[in-house]
Amino acid sequence: MTEESRIKTNSLKAWLLAARPKTLSGAAVPVMIGAALAYVDARQYDGDVFSWTAALLCLLFAFAMQIDANLINDFFDFVNGSDDAETRLGPRRACAQGWVTLNAMKQAIAATTCAACVIGLPLAWYGGLEMILIGALCVVFAFLYTTFFSYEGLGDVLVLVFFGLIPVGCTYYVQIHDMTWEVFLASVACGLVIDALLIVNNFRDRDNDRLAGKKTLVVRLGPEAGLQLYLGVGVGAMILGGTFWLNGHLLATVFPLLYFVLHVFTYLRIKRTYQGKALNLCLGETARNIFIYGLCVAVGLLLA
């Protein structure tokens, strides 16, 4: 009996697969870094400045938006014909496999979008009404990523913004009500690290994406440039990490060297594998590397 036949339509297992819980580490890392930066800087103020409730709300909002984006991606990629169950190289998708019906997926997208808004709304109490605008942008671009930006090779830009600048910066802002160059550069570095996941995903799917008219950056630049881009985002993150050293957080610069070593090893594996489903192993390694980066930076900041 195949895996597909064992999964009942709209069952709990089907929804767990559709939610892609393994991707939640990518949502957690920016919040970890933003919260660590805020916790360290809060020490210079008198009183209890850092709010664990606000930090938890940021994390839960990030999780809800990640699941929402996954469901949106699952639905629209299938509807647009870029998710073919027969030719797909990546992990199987719920709509394409028939595990979740299209109508049920529409309802789930509406539910997770509303849930994210409800979770994020209290952040306006901590960070001001501008948090409502930020939340609205997150929801809008969760739809625009799959329906437009990813097809035009602009997905990497959105990763930098919505997995770097916004989550790191806003997690810090709701605590300190300020922004610094260290936070800005740390958020860009975080976005670069997480973009590696999109790059290896697009590198694996480059032939199918080209046939589907999906002009990702790897499709536009070619596979060799895509490989160098994967290596380059890791290098860029390490260079930007030097800002921690300049601000007296030496360990936050040194600890991520572990991430970079693993990133290089994964790059070499991608280069050797080059194509096919075997690249899914590299996708898993990249997700692991991202989490290790976030952990190394956060711990390095807290121990400084």
Side-chain angles (χ1 to χ4, degrees):
M1 184 180 291
T2 63
E3 180 187 12
E4 290 84 350
S5 61
R6 290 197 300 269
I7 299 174
K8 295 181 180 180
T9 303
N10 297 336
S11 64
L12 177 61
K13 185 174 182 180
W15 284 112
L16 284 174
L17 290 169
R20 308 180 208 172
K22 292 182 180 179
T23 63
L24 295 183
S25 62
V29 165
V31 177
M32 287 167 52
I33 293 174
L37 284 163
Y39 186 83
V40 170
D41 286 355
R43 294 174 181 172
Q44 64 183 298
Y45 297 100
D46 293 330
D48 187 14
V49 176
F50 189 87
S51 169
W52 289 102
T53 301
L56 179 61
L57 285 171
C58 287
L59 183 63
L60 293 177
F61 177 76
F63 282 170
M65 282 307 309
Q66 181 64 60
I67 293 172
D68 194 35
N70 289 342
L71 299 183
I72 292 168
N73 177 257
D74 198 308
F75 177 83
F76 283 102
D77 272 358
F78 176 67
V79 170
N80 292 333
S82 55
D83 251 353
D84 188 328
E86 299 299 323
T87 61
R88 181 173 177 80
L89 297 175
R92 300 186 186 279
R93 294 289 174 253
C95 287
Q97 295 299 136
W99 297 336
V100 172
T101 62
L102 291 180
N103 188 54
M105 186 62 81
K106 288 180 183 178
Q107 295 174 357
I109 291 171
T112 52
T113 301
C114 291
C117 293
V118 170
I119 293 169
L121 186 60
L123 288 171
W125 171 263
Y126 296 95
L129 294 178
E130 54 266 42
M131 292 298 106
I132 296 177
L133 175 60
I134 296 294
L137 287 175
C138 290
V139 171
V140 169
F141 279 90
F143 284 89
L144 289 178
Y145 169 78
T146 294
T147 57
F148 176 73
F149 284 96
S150 64
Y151 283 83
E152 299 300 323
L154 297 172
D156 302 84
V157 176
L158 261 65
V159 169
L160 286 175
V161 174
F162 290 96
F163 284 88
L165 295 173
I166 286 180
V168 176
C170 288
T171 301
Y172 181 88
Y173 185 82
V174 297
Q175 303 284 354
I176 307 299
H177 303 130
D178 197 4
M179 191 60 59
T180 68
W181 277 106
E182 182 182 30
V183 174
F184 175 77
L185 294 177
S187 67
V188 175
C190 181
L192 289 175
V193 167
I194 296 178
D195 190 43
L197 197 64
L198 179 63
I199 294 170
V200 68
N201 186 77
N202 290 342
F203 184 83
R204 179 201 62 210
D205 294 339
R206 60 190 185 275
D207 293 331
N208 288 342
D209 286 343
R210 186 180 295 107
L211 292 174
K214 196 173 184 179
K215 302 173 185 177
T216 65
L217 204 55
V218 175
V219 169
R220 289 181 180 275
L221 300 178
E224 292 304 319
L227 280 171
Q228 297 308 310
L229 184 63
Y230 182 92
L231 179 62
V233 292
V235 173
M238 294 307 297
I239 292 173
L240 290 174
T243 187
F244 296 128
W245 192 347
L246 296 175
N247 282 276
H249 303 142
L250 175 60
L251 294 180
T253 299
V254 174
F255 284 1
L257 289 174
L258 171 61
Y259 149 79
F260 186 66
V261 171
L262 295 173
H263 180 75
V264 172
F265 276 120
T266 303
Y267 159 75
L268 293 174
R269 183 188 290 274
I270 295 171
K271 192 173 182 178
R272 290 195 304 270
T273 307
Y274 206 72
Q275 61 185 12
K277 290 186 177 181
L279 285 168
N280 288 328
L281 178 61
C282 303
L283 194 69
E285 287 187 4
T286 301
R288 176 205 64 192
N289 298 345
I290 290 170
F291 184 74
I292 289 175
Y293 174 82
L295 197 62
C296 287
V297 171
V299 172
L301 287 167
L302 295 175
L303 292 179

